[in-house]
Coordinates of all heavy atoms in Angstrom, one line a residue:
I117 N -7.7 11.5 -16.8 CA -8.8 11.3 -15.8 C -10.2 11.1 -16.6 O -10.6 12.0 -17.3 CB -8.9 12.5 -14.9 CG1 -7.7 12.6 -14.0 CG2 -10.2 12.4 -14.1 CD1 -7.7 13.8 -13.1
V118 N -10.8 10.0 -16.3 CA -12.1 9.5 -16.7 C -12.9 9.1 -15.5 O -12.5 8.2 -14.7 CB -12.1 8.5 -17.8 CG1 -13.4 8.1 -18.3 CG2 -11.2 8.9 -19.0
Y119 N -13.9 9.8 -15.3 CA -14.8 9.5 -14.0 C -15.6 8.1 -14.1 O -16.1 7.8 -15.2 CB -15.7 10.7 -13.7 CG -15.0 11.9 -13.5 CD1 -15.2 13.1 -14.2 CD2 -14.1 11.9 -12.5 CE1 -14.6 14.3 -13.9 CE2 -13.4 13.2 -12.2 CZ -13.6 14.4 -13.0 OH -12.9 15.6 -12.7
S120 N -15.7 7.5 -13.0 CA -16.6 6.4 -12.8 C -17.7 6.8 -11.9 O -17.6 6.4 -10.6 CB -15.8 5.2 -12.3 OG -14.7 4.8 -13.1
E121 N -18.6 7.5 -12.4 CA -19.7 8.0 -11.6 C -20.4 6.9 -10.9 O -20.8 5.9 -11.5 CB -20.6 8.8 -12.4 CG -20.1 10.1 -13.1 CD -20.0 11.2 -12.2 OE1 -20.5 11.1 -11.0 OE2 -19.5 12.4 -12.5
G122 N -20.7 7.2 -9.6 CA -21.5 6.2 -8.8 C -20.8 4.9 -8.3 O -21.3 4.0 -7.8
L123 N -19.4 5.1 -8.5 CA -18.6 3.9 -8.1 C -18.6 3.6 -6.6 O -18.7 4.5 -5.8 CB -17.1 4.2 -8.4 CG -16.0 3.2 -7.9 CD1 -16.1 1.9 -8.9 CD2 -14.7 3.7 -8.1
C124 N -18.7 2.3 -6.3 CA -18.9 1.8 -4.9 C -17.6 0.9 -4.7 O -17.2 0.0 -5.5 CB -20.0 1.0 -4.7 SG -21.6 1.8 -4.8
V125 N -16.8 1.3 -3.7 CA -15.5 0.6 -3.5 C -15.7 -0.9 -3.0 O -14.8 -1.7 -3.2 CB -14.7 1.3 -2.5 CG1 -14.2 2.8 -2.9 CG2 -15.3 1.4 -1.1
D126 N -16.9 -1.1 -2.5 CA -17.1 -2.5 -2.1 C -17.2 -3.5 -3.2 O -17.2 -4.7 -3.1 CB -18.3 -2.7 -1.1 CG -19.6 -2.1 -1.9 OD1 -19.5 -1.1 -2.5 OD2 -20.6 -2.8 -1.6
T127 N -17.5 -3.0 -4.4 CA -17.4 -3.8 -5.7 C -16.2 -3.7 -6.6 O -16.1 -4.3 -7.6 CB -18.6 -3.4 -6.5 OG1 -18.5 -2.0 -7.0 CG2 -20.0 -3.5 -5.8
L128 N -15.3 -2.9 -6.1 CA -14.0 -2.6 -6.9 C -12.9 -3.7 -6.6 O -12.6 -4.0 -5.5 CB -13.5 -1.3 -6.5 CG -12.4 -0.5 -7.5 CD1 -13.1 -0.5 -8.9 CD2 -12.0 0.7 -6.9
T129 N -12.3 -4.2 -7.6 CA -11.3 -5.2 -7.5 C -10.3 -4.8 -8.7 O -10.6 -4.0 -9.6 CB -11.7 -6.6 -7.8 OG1 -12.0 -6.8 -9.2 CG2 -13.0 -7.0 -6.9
P130 N -9.0 -5.3 -8.5 CA -8.1 -5.1 -9.5 C -8.4 -5.6 -10.9 O -7.9 -5.2 -11.9 CB -6.8 -5.8 -9.1 CG -7.0 -6.0 -7.6 CD -8.5 -6.1 -7.4
H131 N -9.4 -6.5 -11.0 CA -9.9 -7.1 -12.3 C -11.0 -6.3 -13.0 O -11.3 -6.6 -14.1 CB -10.2 -8.6 -12.0 CG -9.2 -9.3 -11.3 ND1 -7.9 -9.7 -11.9 CD2 -9.1 -9.9 -10.1 CE1 -7.2 -10.4 -11.1 NE2 -7.9 -10.5 -10.0
N132 N -11.6 -5.5 -12.3 CA -12.8 -4.8 -12.8 C -12.7 -3.3 -12.9 O -13.7 -2.6 -13.1 CB -14.1 -5.2 -12.2 CG -14.2 -4.7 -10.7 OD1 -13.4 -3.9 -10.2 ND2 -15.3 -5.1 -10.0
I133 N -11.5 -2.8 -12.7 CA -11.2 -1.3 -12.8 C -11.4 -0.9 -14.3 O -10.6 -1.4 -15.2 CB -9.9 -0.9 -12.3 CG1 -9.8 -1.1 -10.8 CG2 -9.6 0.5 -12.6 CD1 -8.5 -0.8 -10.1
S134 N -12.3 0.0 -14.6 CA -12.4 0.4 -16.0 C -11.7 1.7 -16.3 O -11.1 1.9 -17.4 CB -13.9 0.6 -16.2 OG -14.5 1.6 -15.4
N135 N -11.4 2.5 -15.3 CA -10.7 3.7 -15.4 C -9.8 4.0 -14.1 O -10.3 3.8 -13.1 CB -11.7 5.0 -15.5 CG -12.7 4.8 -16.6 OD1 -12.4 4.5 -17.8 ND2 -13.9 4.9 -16.3
F136 N -8.5 4.2 -14.5 CA -7.7 4.8 -13.4 C -6.8 5.9 -13.9 O -6.6 6.0 -15.1 CB -6.8 3.5 -12.9 CG -5.8 3.1 -13.9 CD1 -4.6 3.7 -14.1 CD2 -6.2 1.9 -14.6 CE1 -3.7 3.1 -14.9 CE2 -5.2 1.3 -15.5 CZ -3.9 2.1 -15.6
N137 N -6.5 6.6 -12.9 CA -5.7 7.8 -13.2 C -4.2 7.5 -13.1 O -3.3 8.0 -13.8 CB -6.1 9.0 -12.2 CG -5.1 10.2 -12.4 OD1 -4.6 10.7 -11.3 ND2 -4.7 10.6 -13.6
R138 N -4.0 6.6 -12.1 CA -2.5 6.2 -11.9 C -2.4 4.8 -11.3 O -3.3 4.4 -10.6 CB -1.9 7.2 -10.9 CG -0.3 7.0 -10.8 CD 0.3 8.1 -9.9 NE 1.8 8.0 -10.1 CZ 2.6 9.0 -9.7 NH1 2.1 10.1 -9.2 NH2 3.9 8.9 -9.9
H139 N -1.5 4.0 -11.8 CA -1.3 2.6 -11.4 C 0.2 2.4 -11.1 O 1.1 2.8 -11.9 CB -1.8 1.8 -12.4 CG -1.4 0.3 -12.2 ND1 -0.8 -0.5 -13.3 CD2 -1.5 -0.5 -11.2 CE1 -0.7 -1.7 -12.8 NE2 -1.0 -1.8 -11.5
F140 N 0.4 1.8 -9.9 CA 1.8 1.5 -9.5 C 1.8 0.0 -9.2 O 1.0 -0.5 -8.4 CB 2.1 2.3 -8.2 CG 3.5 2.4 -7.9 CD1 4.4 3.2 -8.7 CD2 4.1 1.7 -6.8 CE1 5.8 3.3 -8.5 CE2 5.5 1.8 -6.6 CZ 6.4 2.7 -7.4
L141 N 2.8 -0.7 -9.9 CA 2.9 -2.1 -9.8 C 4.3 -2.4 -9.3 O 5.3 -1.9 -9.7 CB 2.8 -2.8 -11.1 CG 3.4 -4.2 -11.2 CD1 2.4 -5.2 -10.5 CD2 3.4 -4.7 -12.7
I142 N 4.4 -3.3 -8.4 CA 5.6 -3.8 -7.8 C 5.6 -5.3 -7.9 O 4.6 -6.0 -7.4 CB 5.9 -3.4 -6.3 CG1 5.9 -1.9 -6.1 CG2 7.2 -4.1 -5.8 CD1 6.1 -1.5 -4.7
D143 N 6.6 -5.8 -8.6 CA 6.6 -7.4 -8.8 C 7.9 -7.8 -8.4 O 9.0 -7.6 -9.0 CB 6.3 -7.7 -10.4 CG 6.2 -9.1 -10.5 OD1 6.3 -10.0 -9.6 OD2 6.1 -9.6 -11.7
V144 N 8.0 -8.4 -7.2 CA 9.2 -8.8 -6.6 C 9.5 -10.3 -6.6 O 8.5 -11.2 -6.4 CB 9.2 -8.3 -5.1 CG1 10.6 -8.9 -4.4 CG2 9.1 -6.9 -5.0
V145 N 10.7 -10.7 -6.9 CA 11.0 -12.1 -7.0 C 12.2 -12.3 -6.0 O 13.3 -11.6 -6.1 CB 11.3 -12.7 -8.3 CG1 11.8 -14.1 -8.2 CG2 10.2 -12.6 -9.2
Y146 N 12.0 -13.1 -5.0 CA 13.1 -13.3 -4.0 C 13.4 -14.8 -4.0 O 12.4 -15.6 -3.7 CB 12.7 -12.8 -2.7 CG 13.7 -13.3 -1.6 CD1 15.1 -12.7 -1.6 CD2 13.4 -14.1 -0.6 CE1 16.0 -13.2 -0.6 CE2 14.2 -14.5 0.4 CZ 15.6 -14.0 0.4 OH 16.5 -14.4 1.3
T147 N 14.6 -15.3 -4.2 CA 14.8 -16.6 -4.3 C 15.3 -17.4 -3.1 O 15.7 -18.5 -3.1 CB 15.8 -16.9 -5.5 OG1 17.1 -16.3 -5.1 CG2 15.3 -16.4 -6.8
G148 N 15.2 -16.7 -1.9 CA 15.7 -17.4 -0.7 C 14.6 -18.3 -0.1 O 13.6 -18.6 -0.8
K149 N 14.7 -18.5 1.2 CA 13.8 -19.4 1.8 C 12.8 -18.7 2.6 O 12.0 -19.3 3.3 CB 14.7 -20.4 2.8 CG 15.6 -21.2 2.0 CD 16.5 -22.0 2.9 CE 17.5 -22.9 2.1 NZ 18.3 -23.7 3.0
L150 N 12.8 -17.3 2.6 CA 11.8 -16.6 3.4 C 10.5 -16.3 2.6 O 9.4 -16.6 3.1 CB 12.4 -15.3 3.9 CG 13.6 -15.5 4.9 CD1 14.3 -14.2 5.2 CD2 13.3 -16.2 6.1
I151 N 10.7 -15.7 1.5 CA 9.6 -15.2 0.6 C 9.9 -15.8 -0.8 O 10.9 -15.4 -1.4 CB 9.3 -13.8 0.6 CG1 8.9 -13.3 2.1 CG2 8.3 -13.4 -0.4 CD1 8.6 -12.0 2.2
D152 N 9.1 -16.5 -1.3 CA 9.2 -17.1 -2.7 C 9.0 -15.9 -3.7 O 9.8 -15.8 -4.6 CB 8.2 -18.2 -3.0 CG 8.7 -19.4 -2.3 OD1 9.9 -19.5 -1.9 OD2 7.9 -20.4 -2.2
C153 N 7.9 -15.2 -3.6 CA 7.6 -14.1 -4.5 C 6.5 -13.2 -3.9 O 5.8 -13.7 -3.0 CB 7.2 -14.6 -6.0 SG 5.7 -15.5 -5.8
G154 N 6.5 -12.1 -4.4 CA 5.4 -11.2 -4.0 C 5.1 -10.0 -5.1 O 6.0 -9.8 -5.8
W155 N 3.8 -9.6 -5.1 CA 3.5 -8.5 -6.0 C 2.4 -7.7 -5.5 O 1.6 -8.3 -4.7 CB 3.2 -9.0 -7.4 CG 1.9 -10.0 -7.5 CD1 0.7 -9.6 -7.9 CD2 1.8 -11.4 -7.2 NE1 -0.1 -10.6 -7.9 CE2 0.5 -11.7 -7.4 CE3 2.7 -12.3 -6.7 CZ2 0.0 -13.0 -7.3 CZ3 2.3 -13.6 -6.5 CH2 1.0 -13.9 -6.7
G156 N 2.1 -6.5 -5.9 CA 1.1 -5.7 -5.4 C 0.8 -4.5 -6.4 O 1.7 -4.1 -7.3
N157 N -0.4 -4.0 -6.3 CA -0.8 -2.9 -7.2 C -1.4 -1.9 -6.4 O -2.1 -2.2 -5.3 CB -1.8 -3.3 -8.1 CG -1.3 -4.5 -9.2 OD1 -0.6 -4.0 -10.2 ND2 -1.6 -5.7 -8.9
I158 N -1.4 -0.6 -6.7 CA -2.2 0.4 -6.1 C -2.7 1.3 -7.2 O -2.0 1.7 -8.1 CB -1.4 1.2 -5.0 CG1 -2.4 2.2 -4.3 CG2 -0.2 2.0 -5.5 CD1 -1.9 2.8 -3.0
Y159 N -3.9 1.6 -7.2 CA -4.6 2.4 -8.2 C -5.2 3.7 -7.6 O -5.8 3.6 -6.5 CB -5.7 1.6 -9.0 CG -5.3 0.4 -9.6 CD1 -5.2 -0.8 -8.9 CD2 -5.1 0.4 -11.0 CE1 -4.8 -2.0 -9.5 CE2 -4.8 -0.8 -11.6 CZ -4.6 -2.0 -10.9 OH -4.3 -3.1 -11.6
I160 N -5.2 4.7 -8.4 CA -6.1 5.9 -8.1 C -7.2 5.9 -9.1 O -6.9 5.9 -10.3 CB -5.3 7.3 -8.2 CG1 -4.1 7.2 -7.2 CG2 -6.1 8.4 -8.0 CD1 -3.2 8.4 -7.3
V161 N -8.4 5.9 -8.6 CA -9.6 5.8 -9.5 C -10.4 7.0 -9.4 O -10.9 7.3 -8.2 CB -10.4 4.5 -9.2 CG1 -11.5 4.4 -10.1 CG2 -9.6 3.2 -9.2
P162 N -10.6 7.8 -10.4 CA -11.4 9.0 -10.3 C -12.9 8.6 -10.3 O -13.3 7.7 -10.9 CB -11.2 9.8 -11.7 CG -9.8 9.2 -12.2 CD -9.9 7.8 -11.7
I163 N -13.7 9.2 -9.3 CA -15.1 9.0 -9.2 C -15.9 10.1 -9.8 O -16.8 9.9 -10.6 CB -15.5 8.8 -7.7 CG1 -14.8 7.5 -7.2 CG2 -17.0 8.6 -7.6 CD1 -15.0 7.2 -5.7
D164 N -15.6 11.3 -9.3 CA -16.2 12.6 -9.9 C -15.3 13.7 -9.6 O -14.2 13.5 -9.0 CB -17.6 12.8 -9.3 CG -17.7 12.8 -7.8 OD1 -16.8 13.5 -7.2 OD2 -18.6 12.3 -7.1
P165 N -15.6 14.9 -9.8 CA -14.7 16.0 -9.7 C -14.2 16.3 -8.3 O -13.3 17.0 -8.1 CB -15.5 17.2 -10.3 CG -16.5 16.6 -11.3 CD -16.8 15.4 -10.7
T166 N -14.9 15.7 -7.2 CA -14.5 16.0 -5.9 C -14.2 14.7 -5.2 O -14.0 14.7 -3.9 CB -15.6 16.7 -5.2 OG1 -16.8 16.0 -5.2 CG2 -15.8 18.1 -5.8

Side-chain angles (χ1 to χ4, degrees):
I117 291 177
V118 178
Y119 297 123
S120 299
E121 296 280 354
L123 174 73
C124 295
V125 298
D126 58 320
T127 63
L128 194 61
T129 74
H131 305 293
N132 67 7
I133 292 177
S134 57
N135 304 306
F136 66 82
N137 171 228
R138 192 165 189 170
H139 168 224
F140 197 71
L141 164 70
I142 299 177
D143 188 3
V144 176
V145 176
Y146 171 67
T147 59
K149 299 177 181 179
L150 298 176
I151 294 177
D152 285 343
C153 61
W155 66 98
N157 300 276
I158 186 166
Y159 298 87
I160 298 173
V161 182
I163 298 178
D164 59 41
T166 58

